[in-house]
Structure formats: C-alpha cells, structure tokens
Amino acid sequence: MTMKLDPNTLIAQLTYLGLPFIGEHYQTLAQQAATEHWSHLQFLERLIEGQAQARESRRIERRVQLARFPLIKTLDAFQWDWPKKINRLQIQNIFRLAFIEQNANAIFLGGVGVGKSHLAIALGHTACLKGYSVLFTTAIDIINTLSAAQTTSTLKRELRKYLKPNLLLIDELGYLPIDKHGADLLFQIISQRYEQGAIVITSNRAFKHWPAIFNNDSTLTSALLDRLLHHADTVIIEGKSYRMKDQIEE
C-alpha cells in the first residue's frame, strides 16, 4: 500500500521546521536521484547539504548587513601595484584572522587614498564570511552617537553596540579633530575592548602625531596607544591617492 504524498502539507511542515530549501528543491532533486540512481541516503544527503548551505548563506548575509559596510570591498580587488610601499605578506597574514581569536588589533596608517579603508572593509567582510560578528564605523560617528546617547541617558546601551562585535572597524581616525569629551568617549571603547575584542583602525597620521588628534592630550593619547599597540599589527602604506590616479597620469 502506497501513501499518497500531499505536497502542500509537506511544504507547510518543512516551512514550520525552518527547512525552506528542502521544500523548494526536493522535487527537482528527486527527479535527479531517479535519473542518476542515487540511494535513499544520497538523496537525503543532498537535501541536507543544500539546506545547510542555504542557511549559512543567510547567516552571512545577515552578518554583512549588521556590519554596516558603506560598500563591499574584497582583498582580490585591491590594487597592490599602486601604493609605493606596502607589505603584502603582512596584510595577507592579517587576513587569516588569527588576531580576532587573540582579541588583538590591526592598524592601517597612510595618506589619503592609499587603500586603508578598502583593506579595512575587505578584512571585515572576510570576517563575516568566516562567522565573526563585525561592525564598521568611523571615529567621528562613534563620538557623535555616544555624545547623543549621553544626553538621553542611554550611553551604556550604545556602548554595548561597540563592545559586542568580535571585530570593530574604526575608519578615518585623525581626519577631523576630536575635543576632550570626544576623546574620552573613544577611549572608553578602546579601553573596554582591550584584550576583550579585536579592533581595526585606519588613520592618516603617524602615531607620533596622534596627540594632535586628541586635543593635544598626551596623557590620554599615551594610554590609548598603550592599549592599542600592546597586541597589534601596524601596516604602513605609502603612496599617492588612487582616487587621483587619472589626474596624475594626465
């Protein structure tokens, strides 16, 4: 005696169980199984494999959305021949992501347009693909967000947004001056993530010029750098702005 399969009931049950891939593809795979003479276990394996891959793709998509990248960049698309000076092997080693597991840091230093933000975003995107939670922001956005939170007594809640991710990307440190209040807020993030969560920072200024970023507060700058650099890789990139490439060639 053969049981009659009700496709609508089956799809409803698969949806309830959170298995949409199987519901969408079981008929196609069943036909392929019959044509290629798969065993029942092979058929089941293909269904489960497809469902697992679909679920992981959704998780990656979700992590990328939560990271708030301004756009997607990859290491493959980086123009290695443009910077005058860049340590490719060092960067490729950072992209292995061991520093995230070690709650360490990576700092990209260089002038405007040499690819610091590209590498930071690509690094964050790679981390998303590997299952890490990531947040991309700028130094000024952190300060503005936390300053606003203080006025509404929600500072602790907003701080958690920057402390929770496995990897925090802070772009454009040094492009705009930061007053004492802003420096104190940024210091809270870096201090509380010290040996607790990985940080990537891009800056257009050498470390010796960082006091000028933080309102010439040498004491705070020293304390901040002490925490950042204790476990860190510093990548120095030299060259002209890639965005000015066409004008330079002309």
Side-chain angles (χ1 to χ4, degrees), residues 18-21 50-65:
L19 303 171
F21 176 89
Q51 181 61 60
Q53 291 175 349
R55 183 166 295 179
E56 179 58 20
S57 294
R58 290 197 301 274
R59 287 176 176 172
I60 290 172
E61 183 179 353
R62 178 64 173 163
R63 286 192 292 269
V64 171
Q65 288 176 343

Side-chain angles (χ1 to χ4, degrees), residues 60-74 95 100 117-130 132-138 141 165 167-171 200:
I60 290 172
E61 183 179 353
R62 178 64 173 163
R63 286 192 292 269
V64 171
Q65 288 176 343
L66 290 174
R68 300 179 184 175
F69 299 120
L71 69 172
I72 299 300
K73 296 286 188 178
T74 66
F95 270 75
I100 299 179
S117 297
H118 182 131
L119 290 170
I121 294 171
L123 188 56
H125 185 257
T126 299
C128 287
L129 297 180
K130 296 297 183 180
Y132 295 103
S133 57
V134 177
L135 178 62
F136 177 93
T137 185
T138 65
D141 279 345
L167 176 60
L168 177 65
L169 305 167
I170 304 176
D171 198 26
V200 169

Side-chain angles (χ1 to χ4, degrees), residues 147-163:
S147 295
Q150 278 187 320
T151 64
T152 56
S153 301
T154 58
L155 180 60
K156 288 185 178 180
R157 186 179 67 189
E158 290 298 324
L159 275 171
R160 283 196 293 271
K161 294 180 181 179
Y162 299 109
L163 300 178

Side-chain angles (χ1 to χ4, degrees), residues 236-248:
I236 297 174
I237 308 173
E238 297 178 1
K240 297 178 180 179
S241 172
Y242 187 79
R243 289 185 286 271
M244 297 294 291
K245 180 174 180 289
D246 294 337
Q247 287 87 337
I248 291 172

Side-chain angles (χ1 to χ4, degrees), residues 39-54:
S39 68
H40 292 95
L41 284 177
Q42 286 176 310
F43 176 51
L44 179 61
E45 181 183 12
R46 290 294 296 272
L47 287 172
I48 298 302
E49 180 183 41
Q51 181 61 60
Q53 291 175 349

Side-chain angles (χ1 to χ4, degrees), residues 11 18 27 29 39 42 59-60 72 76 84 86 106 109 117 148 152 168 176 180 183 185-186 190-192 203 230 246:
I11 290 174
Q27 289 181 324
L29 287 174
S39 68
Q42 286 176 310
R59 287 176 176 172
I60 290 172
I72 299 300
D76 288 341
K84 181 180 178 181
I86 189 168
L109 301 180
S117 297
T152 56
L168 177 65
L176 294 173
K180 185 180 187 309
L185 291 172
L186 193 59
I190 292 171
S191 178
Q192 292 186 54
S203 178
H230 184 204
D246 294 337

